Amino acid sequence: MESKYIEEKKYLDAKKRIKQIKAFYVHVVVNIVSLAIIIAVNLIFSPHYHWFWFAVIGIGLATFFHWLGVFGANVIGLGKDWEERKIKEYIEKNK
């Protein structure tokens, strides 16, 4: 019974994680298309002033923070494994 619960929890966690990763990649594609349009409009209508850099910086920061939320915690060592390790350390320390 408990094994079935653990398997279902693992499946649901994996499904949630895949959904997060897919959302990130959709975000990246939408940002690339949006930036291409913004750059084209800027260079066609006001080529003497490159205001598209403001959009590049803003969208780049938003994409970075989305990446940080999806992948970054694991890359910098603060992911779920870290949380579990710290919880076990705290429990062992306070016995």
Side-chain angles (χ1 to χ4, degrees):
M1 173 91 172
E2 199 170 309
S3 176
K4 188 175 181 181
Y5 169 76
I6 291 171
E7 288 297 319
E8 186 172 340
K9 180 160 177 23
K10 285 182 181 180
Y11 173 78
L12 291 174
D13 288 345
K15 190 174 180 179
K16 179 181 174 185
R17 181 78 176 131
I18 297 302
K19 202 177 248 191
Q20 290 174 337
I21 293 169
K22 181 181 176 186
F24 173 74
Y25 288 129
V26 168
H27 188 194
V28 169
V29 169
V30 167
N31 287 345
I32 290 170
V33 170
S34 299
L35 283 174
I37 292 169
I38 289 169
I39 292 169
V41 166
N42 178 200
L43 295 178
I44 290 169
F45 292 106
S46 58
H48 56 280
Y49 182 68
H50 294 164
W51 50 261
F52 67 84
W53 288 112
F54 298 110
V56 169
I57 291 168
I59 290 174
L61 282 173
T63 304
F64 171 74
F65 285 119
H66 193 174
W67 172 85
L68 194 61
V70 174
F71 300 108
N74 291 330
V75 172
I76 62 175
L78 298 174
K80 284 283 187 192
D81 294 337
W82 178 83
E83 287 180 21
E84 293 297 324
R85 227 176 25 252
K86 289 298 178 184
I87 289 170
K88 287 177 184 175
E89 282 179 23
Y90 184 77
I91 291 171
E92 289 296 318
K93 183 179 174 184
N94 293 316
K95 275 189 174 180

